[in-house]
Every structure is written in C-alpha cells, then in structure tokens.
Amino acid sequence: MPKLKTLLVHPDPEVRTALRDVLEEVPFVQVLGEAVSAFEALELLEAIPYGVFFVGVDLPGGASGIEMAQMLAGRKNKPALVFISDSESQAYAAFELGATDYLLWPPAPGRMARTMDRLQTFKTRFREVPPPAPYPDDPDDEPSEGFEQTVKLPLPEEEQDSFLAALQAAWDQTSNRRPEIDKLAVNQDGRTILIPYDQIIFVEAFEDYSYVHTANQKFLSSYRLKNLEDRLGPHRFFRVHRKYLVNLDMVTEIASMPGSNFMLRTAGRTRIELPISRRRIAELKKIIGL
C-alpha cells in the first residue's frame, strides 16, 4: 500500500529530528523532506503530492503555520495538518481550519499514538494526484510511426462563433507575432521545467490540477484550468470544452465528415478533434484563406 508522503515544517532542527525518529517506526508514513518556512513548504507541495504536514505554529518568513493552513484551505486534495506547538493558544484556530491534530511539544507518553490513529483514518480518504502517465516512447525520441491518441470533443453550436473568432485572431497574429518568450513553469520529479507557450498543444483539467500536453510528453501542473485559461488566453489559447484548453496555433488539419460537417484537429501524439457545423465552414475557410 502507498504511504502518506510527509513533510516536516518547523524552524527547530531538533524538533524535526525527533519527529523523524518517531515517524520512522510508522509503517504507513514516509518522511520526504523538511522545510523551515510556510513558503518553502508550499513550493515543495507543488513538486510532491504530500499527504501530511507536521507543521509548527510559529514559523519564520512572514507566514505562520495557521496562515499556511488558510492558504491551503481552498485545495481539494490538501495534506493533513498536524500542528506542533508549546501552548494551546492556537488550537481552536487550527481545528477551525481543519487540522487533523494539534500536538503540544514534547508530546506526553502515548499521545503520538492518538495522532497516528487520526492519520490512519485520514489516509483512507486521501487521494494522491497521480503523476502523468508516460508516453510509450522516450520523450527525446521521435514519435512512433502510427502511434496516435485522439480526444473527440463536441463543440456546441452556441460556442462555435467564439471559437471561430478566436481562431481568426490566432491566424491574424501568427504572421507578424514577436518571438515567444513566455513560458509555463511545471514541476516534475523535483525539477522545475519551463515550457514555452508555443510548445503547449492543449491543457487538460484534472480535479484541482491540470495536465499540460506538448508534442511528445505531458506534465502534471498545480494550476487549475481556469487559472491557465486566464493566463494563456492572450496567447491564442481557447477553452473548447470544460476540460480542455487548446492552443489555436496547433490546429493542423481540417477533415470532412459525414453529413457535410467538418472536423478540426490539433497536432501532437494526443490530438483533439472539434466538430464544426456546415453553416460555419464558410467562415472557417475565410479565416484560413481557402
């Protein structure tokens, strides 16, 4: 069974060492890192799907443990929070913010066992966000001949006007746009990878996260699709579906379909197909100069 990935967030190294010693004996917990400040912890959370934070109430760097809990309050799959303090003064605030436990340090004999019981209960309902499934080939290799995955999306009639308008804007700007310098930062295996916007084919929503698809690979991002829609919209990205945001510069093909309808297709190993109705095709041809 997978273990709860655990981060120790406390300014005192002796407390962190003592916590490591205790948690080393817990079979369903795995300590993967330490942090001193709330902001360090939040940065680590972007790279690793932690299930538990053991966090001090008083932290340096401008944000307390309670304030960090407030920052995490909107996350769907947020880690369990076990607060560490030398007084009970913040216990009410901690539990109001959904704390799993509040430990007076050093804990009384047997007290840590109660914390482990609570974490065991939390573990039964905690869902770790899965990493992106790898493409069949190495990302540095050329795509395998014949390999293709297609996501077919309906495009409601009422959305076709705005889609074509966005496509028109993309075509108009392609010929004289400036060199692309904007990049999206994503974390993978503890590394921060910068993906130029013009290499992103589409973005796929996944709960409170999203998958960023390029030609050969996909990356798990901590951004919600709505946040990326706001950020990438000015760069010719269009929300074609509640789950998909498409780079209109990556629309590569127009194919005819039965019933005199047409289908737009995107590039990449995983492609998106968007049906366009017969009455819109004349406007579409005008946009692309046919």
Side-chain angles (χ1 to χ4, degrees):
M1 293 291 290
K3 298 182 179 182
L4 283 175
K5 296 179 176 63
T6 302
L7 182 68
L8 310 180
V9 191
H10 201 281
D12 189 338
E14 293 185 1
V15 173
R16 298 197 304 271
T17 299
L19 280 169
R20 274 188 177 273
D21 292 341
V22 171
L23 296 175
E24 203 170 61
E25 305 300 321
V26 181
F28 64 89
V29 167
Q30 180 183 22
V31 177
L32 285 180
E34 300 181 3
V36 172
S37 72
F39 296 109
E40 287 177 342
L42 293 174
E43 286 182 8
L44 285 169
L45 183 59
E46 296 304 315
I48 300 173
Y50 284 108
V52 185
F53 278 7
F54 280 81
V55 56
V57 169
D58 298 314
L59 299 176
S64 68
I66 296 296
E67 289 170 327
M68 184 178 71
Q70 293 171 337
M71 298 176 197
L72 291 169
R75 298 180 75 115
K76 187 174 182 180
N77 292 315
K78 62 184 178 181
L81 298 177
V82 177
F83 282 91
I84 306 293
S85 181
D86 58 4
S87 76
E88 297 180 343
S89 60
Q90 297 294 312
Y92 179 79
F95 284 116
E96 282 290 293
L97 289 167
T100 298
D101 206 353
Y102 189 97
L103 278 173
L104 293 181
W105 195 265
R111 179 63 179 81
M112 187 65 78
R114 288 167 51 193
T115 300
M116 295 304 108
D117 289 341
R118 294 181 181 184
L119 287 178
Q120 184 77 280
T121 300
F122 170 83
K123 185 178 184 297
T124 62
R125 63 178 187 273
F126 176 72
R127 183 185 178 194
E128 182 177 304
V129 177
Y135 282 109
D137 297 324
D138 188 280
D140 295 328
D141 294 339
E142 291 297 318
S144 297
E145 184 177 353
F147 175 81
E148 179 180 304
Q149 180 182 354
T150 301
V151 179
K152 296 184 179 181
L153 301 177
L155 191 63
E157 187 74 16
E158 62 272 15
E159 294 183 7
Q160 291 188 16
D161 284 336
S162 55
F163 175 76
L164 292 176
L167 195 61
Q168 173 74 70
W171 250 271
D172 288 345
Q173 295 180 46
T174 298
S175 60
N176 59 357
R177 72 183 188 188
R178 295 174 296 173
E180 185 66 67
I181 59 172
D182 294 294
K183 299 179 180 181
L184 181 68
V186 298
N187 291 288
Q188 187 178 51
D189 301 327
R191 297 176 298 141
T192 299
I193 298 174
L194 302 177
I195 307 175
Y197 290 167
D198 61 0
Q199 291 183 17
I200 299 172
I201 296 175
F202 68 94
V203 183
E204 175 187 2
F206 179 81
E207 296 186 355
D208 289 340
Y209 304 86
S210 58
Y211 288 125
V212 178
H213 291 254
T214 63
N216 295 324
Q217 200 169 3
K218 68 177 179 179
F219 303 88
L220 180 64
S221 163
S222 61
Y223 299 103
R224 295 185 178 187
L225 192 65
K226 181 63 174 69
N227 300 132
L228 290 180
E229 181 183 8
D230 295 339
R231 178 171 176 174
L232 298 176
H235 298 270
R236 298 169 293 284
F237 282 73
F238 185 75
R239 183 83 169 262
V240 298
H241 185 271
R242 64 182 181 83
K243 285 190 63 177
Y244 295 95
L245 181 69
V246 172
N247 182 350
L248 294 174
D249 287 343
M250 293 293 184
V251 175
T252 60
E253 183 181 350
I254 300 175
S256 60
M257 297 174 58
S260 300
N261 290 325
F262 289 79
M263 185 76 73
L264 297 184
R265 293 193 177 112
T266 61
R269 292 188 176 187
T270 301
R271 307 193 305 178
I272 287 183
E273 292 187 348
L274 306 170
I276 300 294
S277 67
R278 179 172 49 185
R279 75 185 188 91
R280 300 293 183 196
I281 197 63
E283 184 178 351
L284 175 60
K285 289 181 176 180
K286 180 180 178 182
I287 288 174
I288 61 177
L290 291 179

